[in-house]
Amino acid sequence: MQSSEVVLHNLSKQAVKQDHTFHKIYRHLYNVDFYQATLTVKQMDNLIAMLRDESYQPLCDEVLDDALNEALTQLLQAIYQPAASKVSHTGATSRQTKFRYVKQNFTQATWLLSGAIRPLDDALHHTLIDWLTLRIKDQKMIRLLWKLRKSYESKKGSFQSLLQQLNFYSFDARVKSNAGITAYVRHKGDYLLAVTGHKKNAQAVHQCLVKEGASICIIKHSKQGVPFLQHHIRVRKRATCDTPRVQLLIPKGTIEKIIVQQRIVKDINAKSWVPLHRTTLVTAPADVIVKTYNEQLRKWYRIYQYADNVTPKMQQLHYMMEYSCLKTLANKYKTTVSKIKTMYREGKTWGVPNGTGTARVYFYNEGYARKSVFNNG
């Protein structure tokens, strides 16, 4: 019996062949190598016996469900992930890789459409099974996948993620068959695509997307842009070059939303913002207070590091976070912000002693330079 690694490798090799079909997939579920890490010998024997005579039913034994889900996920991803990545750049790649794809392939877009794929429902489940049968010519496997619908409909069990991922793959394939789409990328359940020509072309694609399973679909001219991966994506012409440029932007109002969520200003609608201390941090050690603010700034910078406007937007957030941090420390020590700044100032930055007093924890001072999606690291 082949190891699970060999099985998956062979399936992946065949999967990249567009017209290849799979006739004997179900039998791989009898391979004990898929279960040895999670099941006892008795449990493996029990599961494999039920799979052989097709008496297995989901939601009867959580341990067996989890083990089977893992095996099915590996097998089906080996079949569908290579094709999905090759066709629509929707694989399990980084945000940087997807933004790079957008920068390279969306420059000629006249219209941008973005939205979300709706959760698997009864109609989509039938569509999904029909799509799976195009490549899987193994009726035992198809019958098993029909059984898993019970788990999905109950909104519990081990197979939710697997079925939804298959739904995404199915959506990719069906959307890419639309001749009006010139570029397409997906991240989990969110998608972005480009259409050229008249607006009626975009409207026709929109109707197709709704039919194929889109729950939300926004159509905008590429100059206006649409949301995708927490960014605003738009296409702008350049004065010095004939090729338009795709811009990744921190959306309008994002910094204000963060400030409101963190409760670091008194009135977000005021003409001038007045930073506030954070009452939940006042009792924490000084180094923990600074580290908390630093972690939050790094978090948002990591999310928006490729945005064209990351530097001014993050500097705006930095200013408010820094003064909120200083006010929190001042409140902790019952003193003023100016005295805290004087006490902890060191050159152009400032920091507080760490827990042992052997070093300083500096407030974030590494800058917010925009990073290129085309650079590694």
Side-chain angles (χ1 to χ4, degrees):
M1 184 174 289
Q2 294 177 323
S3 69
S4 57
E5 289 81 2
V6 171
V7 170
L8 297 173
H9 175 72
N10 290 337
L11 289 175
S12 296
K13 283 176 61 178
Q14 298 299 322
V16 296
K17 301 174 184 177
Q18 186 174 354
D19 297 326
H20 185 80
T21 55
F22 298 85
H23 294 264
K24 296 181 179 180
I25 301 300
Y26 190 83
R27 67 179 183 178
H28 293 307
L29 295 175
Y30 308 152
N31 189 332
V32 296
D33 197 41
F34 281 105
Y35 312 115
Q36 285 180 334
T38 55
L39 299 181
T40 65
V41 173
K42 183 177 180 180
Q43 287 172 325
M44 284 190 287
D45 290 343
N46 185 28
L47 175 59
I48 292 171
M50 288 191 292
L51 290 170
R52 284 185 183 277
D53 64 17
E54 297 189 76
S55 62
Y56 169 81
Q57 293 294 332
L59 303 179
C60 293
D61 188 316
E62 186 176 345
V63 175
L64 297 187
D65 284 354
D66 288 345
L68 179 58
N69 175 65
E70 180 62 26
L72 276 170
T73 299
Q74 292 182 62
L75 289 170
L76 294 173
Q77 282 189 342
I79 294 172
Y80 292 106
Q81 180 67 56
S85 300
K86 182 179 179 181
V87 172
S88 57
H89 208 81
T90 58
T93 53
S94 67
R95 293 163 63 93
Q96 179 184 359
T97 305
K98 291 180 181 180
F99 284 143
R100 183 188 303 138
Y101 178 83
V102 171
K103 286 266 191 181
Q104 291 172 326
N105 294 276
F106 281 70
T107 57
Q108 301 303 319
T110 308
W111 302 94
L112 295 175
L113 288 78
S114 73
I117 304 169
R118 75 175 186 261
L120 201 58
D121 55 23
D122 187 63
L124 279 181
H125 197 95
H126 281 80
T127 302
L128 171 61
I129 296 296
D130 288 343
W131 176 75
L132 290 171
T133 59
L134 295 176
R135 299 206 78 180
I136 297 178
K137 306 298 183 181
D138 184 332
Q139 288 306 307
K140 279 193 170 183
M141 178 61 81
I142 296 301
R143 286 195 292 270
L144 175 61
L145 292 173
W146 270 116
K147 287 182 181 179
L148 302 190
R149 177 184 177 188
K150 174 183 176 182
S151 172
Y152 195 89
E153 289 176 343
S154 70
K155 300 187 184 302
K156 61 183 179 180
S158 306
F159 304 101
Q160 298 267 320
S161 178
L162 169 61
L163 290 172
Q164 191 58 66
Q165 186 60 57
L166 290 174
N167 184 40
F168 293 159
Y169 291 155
S170 173
F171 184 86
D172 294 342
R174 288 179 281 119
V175 166
K176 282 299 291 182
S177 66
N178 189 308
I181 297 171
T182 59
Y184 169 69
V185 63
R186 174 181 56 78
H187 179 76
K188 297 182 180 178
D190 298 323
Y191 64 85
L192 174 70
L193 55 87
V195 177
T196 57
H198 196 272
K199 188 174 183 179
K200 65 182 181 181
N201 297 346
Q203 291 171 333
V205 170
H206 171 268
Q207 293 176 355
C208 171
L209 292 173
V210 173
K211 180 181 177 182
E212 298 296 354
S215 62
I216 301 171
C217 186
I218 300 170
I219 309 176
K220 293 290 184 181
H221 195 278
S222 60
K223 291 180 181 179
Q224 295 176 283
V226 294
F228 182 65
L229 279 181
Q230 297 177 268
H231 286 64
H232 187 75
I233 313 292
R234 70 184 184 188
V235 182
R236 289 297 175 93
K237 291 184 177 180
R238 293 185 284 190
T240 58
C241 180
D242 292 335
T243 304
R245 174 173 176 262
V246 175
Q247 290 184 317
L248 311 177
L249 300 169
I250 298 177
K252 183 178 179 180
T254 296
I255 300 303
E256 290 80 357
K257 288 179 182 177
I258 295 171
I259 288 172
V260 169
Q261 290 169 357
Q262 300 299 324
R263 299 180 181 178
I264 57 176
V265 297
K266 187 174 183 179
D267 181 6
I268 195 67
N269 297 313
K271 188 174 181 180
S272 298
W273 290 342
V274 178
L276 294 175
H277 73 277
R278 295 169 71 174
T279 56
T280 56
L281 290 176
V282 167
T283 58
D287 63 322
V288 172
I289 293 173
V290 175
K291 286 177 181 177
T292 300
Y293 280 89
N294 287 350
E295 288 169 3
Q296 291 169 349
L297 283 169
R298 288 191 175 97
K299 167 193 168 183
W300 292 110
Y301 179 44
R302 280 195 302 271
I303 291 172
Y304 293 115
Q305 60 189 315
Y306 304 114
D308 292 67
N309 59 345
V310 64
T311 302
K313 289 293 186 180
M314 283 302 303
Q315 286 174 341
Q316 180 187 27
L317 180 60
H318 179 108
Y319 178 84
M320 300 307 299
M321 293 281 274
E322 182 174 17
Y323 269 83
S324 174
C325 182
L326 289 166
K327 279 199 168 184
T328 302
L329 290 169
N331 191 277
K332 176 181 180 64
Y333 293 115
K334 310 300 181 187
T335 185
T336 64
V337 168
S338 60
K339 289 182 179 179
I340 290 291
K341 290 172 70 175
T342 301
M343 185 186 311
Y344 295 128
R345 177 69 60 187
E346 188 174 304
K348 293 183 179 181
T349 187
W350 62 274
V352 300
N354 66 3
T356 60
T358 57
R360 279 181 173 252
V361 176
Y362 294 97
F363 193 82
Y364 182 87
N365 61 0
E366 298 165 26
Y368 304 100
R370 179 178 67 85
K371 295 186 179 179
S372 171
V373 296
F374 299 102
N375 293 340
N376 294 323

